[in-house]
Structure formats: C-alpha cells, structure tokens
C-alpha cells in the first residue's frame, strides 16, 4: 500500500465567516465613501455649470474699457497672494477701481500697464480683467475639483468589488 502525500489546493479556500464579515464591512465603508465623493463631484459639476452660464451671460452683456493696473495688493493669511488693483472709466465717465479676484502670483502685470476690462454697465464694480484664466478660473477650479472627486469615487468603487477567490494561491 502506498502512502499519499497531501496535495496543496490550487485555489484559495473560502473565507472564514469573520474574514467575510470584515470584507463586507470594508466594502460597505468603501461604498459610502464612493457615494459621498460622487455626490460631491456632481454638486461641483452643477455649481461649475452655473458658473459657466453666469460667466457667459456676463461676457455677452459686458461693456469693455481700457483699464490701468494701479498697484498690486498683497494679501496675507489663508488664500493670500498678490492681486492686481485696476482702475478704469465706465461708460458714464466715472472712475471705477476694483481688486481682481484672481491672484497673479509671481508674474504680476507691471504697475501702470494697460489692460482691457469687462464690466457690468448696471453695476460697474463687477468687473474682470481680459484673459482666459482671469475670466474662467472659478469654473475651471470647480470642474477640476469634480474630476478629482470622481477619481476618488472610482478608486472607492474598486474597493467595493468582491475579492476574487478563483486565483491561484501564492
């Protein structure tokens, strides 16, 4: 009579009830994270689309004027940076001054340099400097945040998938 040697199983054994419970908990937490991130991304897409519509409506109805960079305002603390202060004359001839909402970092325009300003004729204090990023930055930022949140939701979704048990054991 020959003696048999035990054969190693080629595939993983079924998980124990404790391991299966931990796996279900892990998947549940990942599903919750995925739903929160996806909801946040969709919210930002909605807000970003509203920003695009508002910016587009502003540009369609905006008046233009030649403005001048009068100074660079340095803001410290959270959200700090360098922001150009621009002066221009509105259609009624009144001089308007505003601090631009997009900072210029290290590459600020020169003081007394000329720039095109878009402004609302009814509310001349609402104005932007001509330029793609100067005009569209808030929308781009919201869509960028949405993209990152969707990537996070995708990674969380991968963790919600059940583990494969048909793979060979190591």
């Amino acid at each position: 009579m020959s003696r048999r040697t035990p054969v190693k199983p080629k595939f993983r054994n079924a998980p124990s009830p404790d391991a299966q419970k931990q796996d279900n908990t892990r998947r549940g937490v990942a599903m919750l994270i995925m739903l929160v991130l996806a909801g946040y991304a969709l919210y930002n897409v909605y807000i970003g689309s509203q920003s695009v519509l508002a910016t587009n409506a502003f540009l369609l109805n905006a008046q233009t004027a030649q403005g001048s960079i009068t100074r660079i305002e340095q803001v410290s603390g959270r959200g700090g940076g360098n922001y150009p202060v621009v002066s221009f004359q509105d259609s009624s001839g009144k001089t308007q001054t505003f601090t631009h909402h997009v900072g210029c970092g290290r590459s600020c325009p020169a003081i007394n340099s000329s720039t095109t300003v878009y402004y609302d004729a009814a509310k001349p204090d609402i104005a932007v400097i001509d330029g793609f990023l100067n005009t569209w930055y808030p929308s781009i930022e919201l869509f960028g945040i949405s993209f990152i949140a969707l990537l996070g939701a995708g990674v969380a979704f991968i963790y919600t998938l059940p583990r494969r048990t048909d793979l060979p054991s190591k």
Side-chain angles (χ1 to χ4, degrees), residues 15-97:
S16 68
D18 285 340
Q20 195 169 18
K21 188 175 180 180
Q22 284 179 337
D23 197 43
N24 287 341
T25 301
R26 178 187 61 85
R27 279 191 272 162
V29 168
M31 179 71 78
L32 181 65
I33 290 170
M34 178 195 69
L35 290 174
V36 167
L37 286 174
Y40 182 69
L42 290 175
Y43 172 75
N44 276 318
V45 165
Y46 172 75
I47 297 298
S49 65
Q50 295 301 311
S51 175
V52 166
L53 292 174
T55 301
N56 192 40
F58 171 77
L59 290 176
L60 288 174
N61 298 319
Q63 301 287 323
T64 59
Q66 277 305 111
S68 176
I69 309 291
T70 57
R71 63 185 161 81
I72 304 298
E73 187 173 302
Q74 293 182 342
V75 179
S76 60
R78 188 172 184 216
N82 300 322
Y83 295 86
V85 178
V86 181
S87 293
F88 67 97
Q89 284 190 344
D90 62 16
S91 56
S92 67
K94 185 177 176 190
T95 300
Q96 302 287 337
T97 302

Side-chain angles (χ1 to χ4, degrees), residues 108-127:
C108 290
I111 294 175
N112 296 325
S113 63
S114 180
T115 185
T116 302
V117 175
Y118 292 98
Y119 68 96
D120 185 344
K123 299 176 186 172
D125 55 320
I126 299 175

Side-chain angles (χ1 to χ4, degrees), residues 69 84 86 98 100-101 109 115-118 127-132 134-135:
I69 309 291
V86 181
F98 71 96
H100 199 259
H101 66 279
T115 185
T116 302
V117 175
Y118 292 98
V128 295
I129 299 173
D130 184 30
F132 181 77
N134 292 329
T135 308

